[in-house]
Amino acid sequence: MNKLFTFLGIVLITSMLLYCSSDDNATPNPDPDPNPTDATTTLISTLSVPWEILWGPDNFLWVTERNGRISRINPDTGEQIELIRIAAVEQVQESGLLGMVLHPNFDSNPFVYAVYTCQSGNNLLERLVRFTYANNTLSDETTLLDNIPAAGIHNGSRLMITNDLHLLMTTGDAGNTSLSQNLNSLAGKVLRINLDGSIPADNPFTNSYVYSLGHRNPQGLVRHPNGNIYSSEHGPQNDDEINRIVAGANYGWPEVMGVINTPAEEAFAASTTVTESIFNWTPTIAPSDLAFYTGTAIPQWTNKFLMTVLKDQKIVSLTLSDDGNTITEEESFFTGTFGRLRDIAISPGGRIFIATNGDSYGDTSATHRIIEINSIP
């Protein structure tokens, strides 16, 4: 009998750890070949956990690393130019310097927006800031939004500037599932912010930055040419999601995962309007950044979402239905070739770059690279 209780206890503890595990946890890929064919080119291989890569108006790649460094990287030579190293950044597990976006009118408004975690007493908090760029330097740090709950896991932190010049920011539940349904908390949300840090008057909740709620850990955010906003989001051990982000919508976490298909989820949805995911994965794959490819250099990917994946170590292409409400096709590429894939950047001319995050979760000493995808082998 004692052996039976011991066995059941082990099973219970293991299940709890899995449910609360970090989204990035993955089986190591022991020896990825950085250039298996001419289909890819390694641009740089000396980065410390790159998190955001994006194509700048100067035709350089702009990169954040979780240790606090922001750089410009020449996409043809790999030359890295450090712009700033933010001293206040606190890098713990999955936290650190995370998302970044540049002002769309960069020539007249040379502003760089970034999110990082910092220490406040015994707590980690997330901070949204703006820098001014000039002569390969970022300066004049201005805090736009502070005291956002953060933790070693589930920080969200993807940024996007909309066509009407509002900043969208994803936040995770910071490991506290109760925050996602709490409208008084900025955690587990998509936030909508004026570029000066104030609250837009037309936000769906009065005097609140909250644009949507009920999120667990959304790490991808992209505007489709049809005008819709889509996000990729980590589930626990089930129901990684693709969501269409709508003002005022509640995506259900932690009461609903993916679509409403259990008695408990049905009971919650009976009293709360829940917006279901348009696509989900069980078991989880750990989706990270989401982009939309309109280029023609790789015609197999034209007019499809491209998503980098951590746990399953691959690029996924997703075909969207004509009405924008369903994913109709999923394909996987480069599975296990480069280890964990964190982010993707696409140039206006259709060049595609990915950022790798090592071969196993938590390995900050591994080789972290930016790789250009030239073709599909």
Side-chain angles (χ1 to χ4, degrees):
M1 182 64 69
N2 289 337
K3 290 183 178 179
L4 174 61
F5 284 135
T6 300
F7 172 75
L8 291 174
I10 291 171
V11 170
L12 177 60
I13 291 169
T14 301
S15 299
M16 292 173 65
L17 288 173
L18 285 172
Y19 185 84
C20 298
S21 65
S22 68
D23 306 311
D24 295 347
N25 200 11
T27 301
N29 180 25
D31 187 22
D33 182 349
N35 290 296
T37 69
D38 291 337
T40 65
T41 304
T42 296
L43 178 65
I44 187 171
S45 59
T46 55
L47 300 177
S48 176
V49 199
W51 205 91
E52 182 85 60
I53 58 171
L54 54 86
W55 188 271
D58 53 357
N59 295 321
F60 271 54
L61 287 169
W62 290 61
V63 180
T64 67
E65 297 167 78
R66 285 215 311 250
N67 63 7
R69 179 165 61 172
I70 301 177
S71 302
R72 296 169 62 239
I73 296 179
N74 186 313
D76 299 315
T77 67
E79 177 192 12
Q80 182 176 20
I81 303 168
E82 181 175 312
L83 308 181
I84 194 172
R85 193 178 291 260
I86 306 169
V89 166
E90 188 73 20
Q91 183 181 1
V92 180
Q93 292 177 274
E94 299 167 21
S95 69
L97 174 59
L98 303 172
M100 174 177 63
V101 69
L102 309 186
H103 195 288
N105 304 316
F106 197 73
D107 287 344
S108 55
N109 297 284
F111 298 137
V112 176
Y113 303 83
V115 177
Y116 63 82
T117 54
C118 54
Q119 194 75 31
S120 178
N122 295 324
N123 299 317
L124 275 179
L125 295 173
E126 201 163 61
R127 179 178 294 162
L128 171 67
V129 299
R130 183 189 69 209
F131 296 99
T132 301
Y133 172 75
N135 301 319
N136 283 327
T137 302
L138 291 178
S139 60
D140 301 325
E141 179 176 348
T142 301
T143 298
L144 302 181
L145 188 57
D146 209 349
N147 298 320
I148 303 167
I153 58 173
H154 303 185
N155 294 303
S157 302
R158 195 66 64 186
L159 299 178
M160 187 184 75
I161 295 179
T162 62
N163 289 337
D164 61 355
L165 298 183
H166 291 94
L167 183 65
L168 294 183
M169 172 182 171
T170 70
T171 66
D173 66 13
N176 182 348
T177 60
S178 67
L179 298 180
S180 296
Q181 292 294 322
N182 182 353
L183 277 173
N184 294 317
S185 173
L186 297 180
K189 310 295 191 298
V190 174
L191 308 178
R192 183 170 179 258
I193 307 156
N194 289 325
L195 294 185
D196 63 0
S198 61
I199 298 173
D202 59 345
N203 268 8
F205 302 100
T206 304
N207 295 322
S208 173
Y209 290 105
V210 175
Y211 190 70
S212 66
L213 68 153
H215 298 284
R216 182 177 183 270
N217 190 18
Q219 289 195 0
L221 192 65
V222 65
R223 179 177 52 249
H224 189 277
N226 65 16
N228 294 338
I229 306 297
Y230 296 89
S231 177
S232 53
E233 181 167 340
H234 292 254
Q237 294 299 310
N238 55 285
D239 291 299
D240 282 341
E241 300 176 348
I242 299 293
N243 288 305
R244 178 183 169 187
I245 302 300
V246 178
N250 185 337
Y251 294 85
W253 175 258
E255 308 298 336
V256 173
M257 292 171 277
V259 298
I260 301 164
N261 57 9
T262 70
E265 292 175 337
E266 291 169 358
F268 179 78
S271 60
T272 304
T273 300
V274 174
T275 300
E276 298 176 301
S277 63
I278 67 170
F279 199 75
N280 58 282
W281 290 267
T282 297
T284 56
I285 62 173
S288 191
D289 191 27
L290 188 66
F292 191 78
Y293 186 65
T294 58
T296 58
I298 302 182
Q300 300 97 315
W301 288 347
T302 301
N303 295 326
K304 296 185 179 182
F305 288 116
L306 297 179
M307 186 174 73
T308 46
V309 173
L310 293 156
K311 180 179 175 182
D312 279 14
Q313 304 185 0
K314 60 186 178 180
I315 298 173
V316 170
S317 75
L318 300 168
T319 303
L320 187 67
S321 62
D322 291 339
D323 65 5
N325 294 324
T326 308
I327 299 296
T328 60
E329 184 181 14
E330 173 194 5
E331 293 184 273
S332 298
F333 301 88
F334 297 101
T335 301
T337 303
F338 305 115
R340 297 152 35 78
L341 304 183
R342 170 65 66 183
D343 201 38
I344 186 167
I346 300 173
S347 79
R351 296 175 70 180
I352 300 171
F353 299 84
I354 57 172
T356 73
N357 266 187
D359 306 326
S360 62
Y361 173 72
D363 184 1
T364 59
S365 63
T367 298
H368 299 272
R369 306 185 294 274
I370 294 177
I371 296 168
E372 183 171 8
I373 307 297
N374 305 312
S375 63
I376 298 172

